[in-house]
C-alpha cells in the first residue's frame, strides 16, 4: 500500500506538522505570554494545592500530545502510527496513566456528591431539568474523562500483550480510538465551560 497517500484529499502530514509548528511558535510570542499568565492564574484558582497543579499540568500536557499525535495519524495518513512519534506516544501514555491515577485519587472525593437540591422525583419526571446544572457539569465531565482514560490505558496495555488474537487486537484498537474521542470531547467541554469560565 501507498503509506504516503493521504485520506480524503487532505493535506499531507508534513504540511500539517509545518502548520502546527508555525501556530505554536506564534502562540509562544506576544499574546502567548499573556495567555500563559492567564492560564496560570486560572489553574491556581481551580487547584490551590501545588502538587495537584503539577499533576493537572502533567495530565493535560501528556493528553495534549497523545491527542495531537493520534489525530494527526488518523486523519493525514493511511498508515498507523510508527517511528519516533509512536515511541513518544507510548512513553507519554505511561505519563498520562500515572497522572490520571494521581488525579483520580486527589480529586475523586470532590466529584462524588451532586449539588444540593438536585433531586430526581420519580413520580414527576417532567420536572427533571433539560440541561445539566452548572454545579453538576464538572463532576460529569470529570468521570467521563476518567472512564475514557481508564479504557485508553487498558486497551493500550492489552494491545501489547500476546494473549489476544489479531482480530481481538484490532477490536482493542477500535475501542482505543473511540475512547480517545470520548476523552477528547470531555476535555474540550471542560476547557470551554469550566477552565475558561469563572466559577
Amino acid at each position: 500500500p501507498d503509506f504516503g497517500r493521504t485520506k480524503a484529499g487532505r493535506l499531507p502530514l508534513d504540511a500539517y506538522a509545518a502548520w502546527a509548528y508555525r501556530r505554536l511558535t506564534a502562540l509562544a510570542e506576544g499574546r502567548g505570554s499573556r495567555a500563559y499568565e492567564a492560564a496560570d492564574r486560572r489553574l491556581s484558582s481551580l487547584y490551590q494545592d501545588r502538587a495537584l497543579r503539577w499533576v493537572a499540568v502533567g495530565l493535560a500536557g501528556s493528553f495534549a500530545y497523545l491527542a495531537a499525535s493520534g489525530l494527526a495519524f488518523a486523519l493525514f495518513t493511511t498508515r498507523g502510527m510508527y517511528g519516533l512519534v509512536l515511541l513518544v506516544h507510548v512513553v507519554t501514555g505511561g505519563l498520562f496513566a500515572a497522572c490520571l491515577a494521581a488525579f483520580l485519587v486527589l480529586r475523586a472525593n470532590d466529584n462524588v456528591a451532586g449539588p444540593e437540591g438536585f433531586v430526581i422525583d420519580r413520580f414527576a419526571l417532567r420536572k427533571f431539568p433539560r440541561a445539566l446544572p452548572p454545579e453538576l457539569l464538572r463532576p460529569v465531565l470529570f468521570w467521563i474523562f476518567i472512564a475514557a482514560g481508564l479504557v485508553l490505558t487498558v486497551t493500550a496495555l492489552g494491545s501489547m500483550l500476546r494473549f489476544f488474537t489479531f482480530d481481538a487486537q484490532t477490536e482493542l484498537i477500535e475501542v482505543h480510538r473511540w475512547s480517545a474521542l470520548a476523552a477528547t470531547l470531555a476535555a474540550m467541554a471542560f476547557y470551554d465551560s469550566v477552565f475558561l469560565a469563572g466559577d
Side-chain angles (χ1 to χ4, degrees):
D2 182 10
F3 293 128
R5 183 167 51 85
T6 58
K7 294 181 178 178
R10 295 181 182 275
L11 292 174
L13 186 58
D14 54 352
Y16 170 75
W19 172 84
Y21 175 77
R22 289 195 303 270
R23 296 296 297 171
L24 290 175
T25 303
L27 183 63
E29 300 172 354
R31 292 182 300 173
S33 59
R34 294 194 298 272
Y36 172 78
E37 293 173 359
D40 184 59
R41 288 194 301 270
R42 183 62 179 145
L43 194 63
S44 299
S45 66
L46 282 174
Y47 310 117
Q48 298 179 1
D49 182 66
R50 178 172 295 182
L52 180 57
R53 282 201 303 271
W54 278 110
V55 169
V57 168
L59 183 64
S62 60
F63 183 73
Y65 174 80
L66 293 171
S69 57
L71 182 65
F73 274 85
L75 292 180
F76 300 111
T77 180
T78 56
R79 180 179 182 178
M81 194 179 301
Y82 64 95
L84 182 61
V85 178
L86 176 59
L87 178 62
V88 179
H89 192 90
V90 173
V91 173
T92 308
L95 175 64
F96 171 77
C99 290
L100 184 73
F103 196 71
L104 174 62
V105 170
L106 295 173
R107 293 290 295 171
N109 189 45
D110 297 328
N111 291 279
V112 171
E116 295 182 4
F118 183 73
V119 179
I120 301 175
D121 186 354
R122 60 181 178 175
F123 298 107
L125 292 179
R126 62 182 180 274
K127 295 182 180 180
F128 188 80
R130 295 185 178 181
L132 275 176
E135 303 86 1
L136 195 62
L137 180 61
R138 187 182 301 181
V140 167
L141 293 176
F142 173 84
W143 288 110
I144 290 176
F145 186 81
I146 291 295
L150 178 61
V151 175
L152 280 170
T153 304
V154 171
T155 52
L157 292 175
S159 63
M160 299 177 188
L161 300 177
R162 302 178 60 185
F163 300 116
F164 298 100
T165 63
F166 176 79
D167 292 336
Q169 298 235 358
T170 302
E171 294 298 325
L172 286 175
I173 292 174
E174 285 300 314
V175 174
H176 188 83
R177 289 174 176 171
W178 284 105
S179 301
L181 178 61
T184 302
L185 293 176
M188 290 170 62
F190 178 86
Y191 180 78
D192 181 63
S193 59
V194 177
F195 188 83
L196 291 182
D199 290 329

